[in-house]
Amino acid sequence: MTPVKTPEPVRAKSDAISVGAIEPAREAAIVEAGAAQVGEYLGHSVEGERLVTHYFASTHPGYRGWRWAVTLTRASRAKTVTINEVVMLPGDEAIVGPAWVPWSERVQPGDLRPGDLFPTLPEDPRLEPGYTDTTGAPDEVLAVIDELGLGRERVLSPVGREEAADRWYAGDFGPASAIAQAVPYKCFACGYWIRLNDSLGQAFGACTNEMAPGDGRIVSYDYGCGAHSDAVIEAPDHPSTEHAFDTTGYDEMAIPRGEAKTEQAKTEQVETGQVEAGHVGADSERVEDVVQAEVQEADAVQAEVEAAAEPPSDDEVQATTAEEIFDIPLPTAAEIEAEASANY
């Protein structure tokens, strides 16, 4: 069922018989759609002389806001009406599809995907005939023709050049872009800019700087960016860093155990008068050797005691006393204290 647009009402004399034929119009709508899909009466419109259209609401859930239109007419001097057509038309609240647009107007830039073909119209104003006949030309001539861009069936017309120039100049790589307005450098003075050889080269070129946003694109001569070849920053020579000395803090230096006892022994002997202050330097080596030997002996005893305290493994024979472990008699606490008092 194809929806038909409601025609504009015309000024005509209202026919009382046609306007009053509501029930015949309803019966015609029921015959077309069924009684369950024909709703209340919505009114009528005069289409012409003795030509009236009656409207009934559609109760179909998929056609909310649509209406049934029954057009009928009456012959001159006739007492009955004749049904012309029964169609469903959209109302003010009906959901309808957009107006049909040809495919050539629906396709937009960026819609072309891999494998798609976009044919060119024969009368495209952007193109004109090439007028270069290369039939029978030798290979040397054909090579020159290809290099000059000749031999094509159609080439860019003045209209196509003008449209391309306007589009490029007003685009993202023209002088009005935000990045071009933010820098004083322009592309015509940049070493990365290659001017086009065509007539468009008077205003456009290609960017070859991979760090620039226009790399591989057509940019105008007065476009610019921060990746210009003249954008050179002179780095100042920084002086060599001198050694810094921290005078606000200190580091705690741990003195080895033997050296600490040696210093302590020296101090005690000087204080108790066992060694005179004047002979401390002469006797320091002897005292240091004695203390060092005693320290080593005490460390060995401590290591043996700690080893004896560890539980033996199942593979070893258990010993009950330290003498059985080390096979030497251990000094008593009184002997160790007496020896230490005599040496210190």
Side-chain angles (χ1 to χ4, degrees):
M1 184 179 302
T2 303
V4 180
K5 184 179 180 181
T6 304
E8 296 292 336
V10 296
R11 294 184 178 181
K13 183 178 180 180
S14 177
D15 181 62
I17 297 177
S18 299
V19 171
I22 298 177
E23 291 304 322
R26 179 185 293 275
E27 292 177 0
I30 292 175
V31 171
E32 179 69 22
Q37 297 187 20
V38 179
E40 59 180 344
Y41 179 67
L42 300 178
H44 72 280
S45 62
V46 179
E47 311 292 347
E49 185 177 1
R50 296 188 301 276
L51 185 64
V52 178
T53 299
H54 295 275
Y55 299 100
F56 302 90
S58 174
T59 58
H60 194 286
Y63 289 89
R64 184 174 302 175
W66 290 65
R67 54 188 179 175
W68 290 101
V70 181
T71 303
L72 50 84
T73 186
R74 183 180 68 87
S76 178
R77 298 188 180 87
K79 301 298 182 180
T80 59
V81 296
T82 301
I83 304 298
N84 286 4
E85 62 178 359
V86 179
V87 296
M88 181 183 289
L89 299 177
D92 297 336
E93 300 179 357
I95 300 177
V96 296
W100 183 82
V101 180
W103 71 267
S104 58
E105 300 179 11
R106 294 197 303 268
V107 178
Q108 299 297 322
D111 292 345
L112 197 64
R113 299 173 299 178
D116 294 341
L117 296 178
F118 188 78
T120 303
L121 299 178
E123 297 81 15
D124 194 334
R126 300 170 299 174
L127 299 173
E128 63 182 9
Y131 299 111
T132 303
D133 187 8
T134 60
T135 304
D139 296 340
E140 295 79 3
V141 177
L142 293 176
V144 176
I145 289 176
D146 293 340
E147 183 177 355
L148 297 177
L150 303 176
R152 291 171 290 175
E153 183 177 352
R154 288 191 291 180
V155 296
L156 198 62
S157 67
V159 175
R161 296 175 186 273
E162 184 177 356
E163 290 183 359
D166 293 341
R167 185 172 61 254
W168 293 347
Y169 203 76
D172 295 337
F173 300 98
S177 60
I179 190 172
Q181 294 289 331
V183 294
Y185 306 104
K186 300 303 177 183
C187 286
F188 64 84
C190 181
Y192 298 107
W193 189 67
I194 300 179
R195 186 184 298 273
L196 297 181
N197 290 331
D198 206 330
S199 59
L200 291 172
Q202 298 177 2
F204 300 98
C207 179
T208 62
N209 188 357
E210 62 179 349
M211 303 305 296
D215 179 39
R217 298 178 179 271
I218 300 298
V219 297
S220 65
Y221 77 102
D222 49 355
Y223 172 77
C225 69
H228 196 278
S229 61
D230 294 340
V232 179
I233 300 177
E234 296 182 359
D237 295 334
H238 297 284
S240 59
T241 305
E242 298 180 355
H243 294 287
F245 296 94
D246 184 7
T247 59
T248 61
Y250 61 91
D251 297 332
E252 294 184 358
M253 304 298 294
I255 302 176
R257 182 176 179 182
E259 297 181 4
K261 290 190 175 183
T262 301
E263 296 296 331
Q264 183 180 1
K266 294 179 181 179
T267 304
E268 292 180 352
Q269 290 179 2
V270 172
E271 291 178 354
T272 57
Q274 296 179 5
V275 181
E276 295 182 0
H279 299 85
V280 171
D283 299 335
S284 59
E285 295 182 359
R286 184 178 60 82
V287 174
E288 182 177 357
D289 295 338
V290 174
V291 174
Q292 185 68 21
E294 294 176 354
V295 170
Q296 293 178 357
E297 183 179 356
D299 292 341
V301 173
Q302 181 66 24
E304 293 173 353
V305 173
E306 292 177 355
E310 295 180 358
S313 61
D314 297 335
D315 298 334
E316 298 177 354
V317 179
Q318 296 184 359
T320 58
T321 62
E323 289 83 357
E324 296 177 359
I325 297 175
F326 301 106
D327 195 22
I328 57 173
L330 294 179
T332 63
E335 293 176 350
I336 295 175
E337 184 178 356
E339 184 180 2
S341 300
N343 293 333
Y344 289 94

